[in-house]
Every structure is written in structure tokens, then in C-alpha cells.
Amino acid sequence: MNKKGFIFDLDGVIVDTAKYHFLAWKKLANDLGIDFSETQNEELKGVSRVKSLEKILQWGNTSVSEEQFAALMKKKNTDYLTYVNTMTEDEILADVPKILHYLKEEKQPFALGSASKNARTILEKVALIKDFKSIVDGTNVSKAKPDPEVFLIAAKELNIVPEDCIVFEDSVAGIQAANAANMISIGIGKKETLKEADYIFKDFTEISTAFIKQLIKN
Ligand code: B16
Ligand code: MG
């Protein structure tokens, strides 16, 4: 039987935590006297926590000391976690369970490949943690997307060569990382934004099990 490695990004693919990142970053930015819009939040998707804060400070023409930077990072995460702690299975995005169920039925291994250091907490909150054969997140990588490191580690842990891996991603940097890893990239989101992906779908309601079956076969 053909075996492929399926790798899922977390935020924007399995759950929409971007709305919580937005609330936490907005509060932090506004407290510093910096404006922060939803459009700017889009630019932080898939970007690490450190890089996100660097960008916000840059947008606000603000510089802080190393200690202040560390304190701001901590503050943002504490605030973000208050939202994460309210999460339940109801927040799993539409038709994600349908695809995960199908992969299990077909005995296809799947992993998580996320930039988030909170990935395990989130997967626990939405009761998906036991389903993933491997979880690679912000605590396991040294290079952020678009570097392929996160997906290459996931492939290794799944014991599947990169060429036989399929990545679901909602961020441009993530699609670039999947392409750089020589994996099949599936963009979840807008066609105009994710044009570098091999396939693009609005969300999982547009992805049929027949399509997944075809990916397994090829
Ligand atoms: P944390 P993903 C990313 O998750 C988010 O898209 C991005 O906005 C966030 O800054 C990053 O995780 C780090 O998250 O602060 O929880 O470590 O899309 O790679 O699953
Ligand atoms: Mg994402």
C-alpha cells in the first residue's frame, strides 16, 4: 500500500487562533501607543513570536531594551493563553475531522508542523493531540518558515521521504517552506495570496476524500 506523509500547519489550518493572536498583539501594541490593524495581523501569520514583536515595534518606530523585549513577549503570551484556555473541540475548522478520519482509515501517517510554541496546549484543548503521530512545533526548530526545517523534521519523524509528503498551510512563508522541502504544498486560503502552492482551497470543505485518495495513489 502507498504511504504518504501528511503534515498540517496549526493556526489557520486546524484552528483559527489568528483571531486570538490579533487580540493579544493589539492590546500590547496599543499599550505601547502603536496602532495595529487586522491587515498587519495577516503579515504575522506563520511568523514566529520573536519576529512578530520585532515587526510590531518596527511599524511603531519603537525600540525597547532586551529586558523589555523579553517582558513584552511574556506579556503577550500570557494574554494569548487566556484565550487559548477557553478553546474546545468546537473550534476545529470545518471538515478538518473528516480528512483526519479518512487518513486514519487509510492508515496514512500525519504530523503537525507549526511555528507555535503553544501547539501542544492548543491540540490538547481541541482534543486532537492523540491523533498526530508526530508534533513538530516552535519548540523543536531553530529556523523559522520559509526555512523548510519544521517540515523536514516532521517527514523524518513520520519516516517518509520529503518527496512523498503533503503539507497543508495557510501562510505564504509556510508554502515556501513546503516547496523548499520538495513536498507537495496545499494552500488553505485565498488564491491571490497563496499562488505559489501546488493546490489551493478556500478551506477543508472544498477538499474531498477522493482528492486525498488521488494524492495517496500518485
Ligand atoms: P506562538 P502556525 C504561528 O502558528 C502563527 O500563525 C503565528 O501568528 C504565531 O506568531 C506563531 O505561530 C508563533 O506562535 O506565539 O504560539 O509560539 O500557523 O505556524 O501554526
Ligand atoms: Mg498557519
Side-chain angles (χ1 to χ4, degrees), residues 1-8 99 102-103 106 108 160 163-168 183-188 198-201 204 206-218:
M1 191 189 47
N2 261 6
K3 265 221 191 323
K4 298 283 160 130
F6 290 82
I7 307 173
F8 294 79
I99 300 300
Y102 182 73
L103 293 176
E106 295 297 311
Q108 298 293 316
I160 305 277
E163 291 72 19
D164 283 337
C165 287
I166 295 125
V167 173
F168 296 93
M183 299 178 177
I184 292 174
S185 55
I186 303 189
I188 304 294
D198 294 316
Y199 302 91
I200 308 165
F201 298 98
F204 280 84
E206 284 189 350
I207 303 182
S208 66
T209 52
F211 171 73
I212 301 289
K213 190 175 186 176
Q214 201 55 46
L215 289 173
I216 297 168
K217 252 187 169 173
N218 288 343

Side-chain angles (χ1 to χ4, degrees), residues 9-12 17-18 21 25 41 44-49 52 76-77 80 113-119 122 138 145 169-171:
D9 173 51
L10 181 62
D11 174 29
T17 38
H21 281 297
W25 281 132
N41 194 53
L44 302 185
K45 282 192 177 168
V47 175
S48 71
R49 203 182 307 165
S52 299
K76 186 269 172 177
N77 201 51
Y80 172 66
S114 164
S116 175
K117 291 188 171 164
N118 298 300
I122 295 166
K145 302 168 187 175
E169 251 293 347
D170 71 311
S171 74

Side-chain angles (χ1 to χ4, degrees), residues 28-29 51 69 71 78 94 99 101 111 128 155-157 161 168 176 187 200 213:
L28 185 117
K51 283 263 170 329
F69 192 96
T78 305
I99 300 300
H101 184 75
L128 283 180
K156 205 173 236 172
E157 289 195 0
V161 293
F168 296 93
Q176 289 168 342
I200 308 165
K213 190 175 186 176

Side-chain angles (χ1 to χ4, degrees), residues 75-159:
K75 192 162 170 264
K76 186 269 172 177
N77 201 51
T78 305
D79 200 20
Y80 172 66
L81 284 177
T82 61
Y83 298 110
V84 167
N85 282 330
T86 67
M87 290 179 82
T88 66
E89 287 162 66
D90 293 348
E91 295 207 33
I92 300 172
L93 293 173
D95 278 2
V96 168
K98 171 190 83 182
I99 300 300
L100 296 183
H101 184 75
Y102 182 73
L103 293 176
K104 273 199 248 174
E105 241 176 34
E106 295 297 311
K107 300 200 168 29
Q108 298 293 316
F110 53 90
L112 191 87
S114 164
S116 175
K117 291 188 171 164
N118 298 300
R120 283 172 190 274
T121 309
I122 295 166
L123 285 182
E124 256 167 37
K125 295 302 290 181
V126 300
L128 283 180
I129 193 135
K130 290 203 184 80
D131 294 292
F132 287 83
K133 185 168 177 201
S134 152
I135 295 171
V136 186
D137 62 21
T139 63
N140 307 109
V141 296
S142 55
K143 288 170 255 166
K145 302 168 187 175
D147 190 282
E149 185 185 21
V150 61
F151 297 140
L152 291 174
I153 298 175
K156 205 173 236 172
E157 289 195 0
L158 291 178
N159 209 12

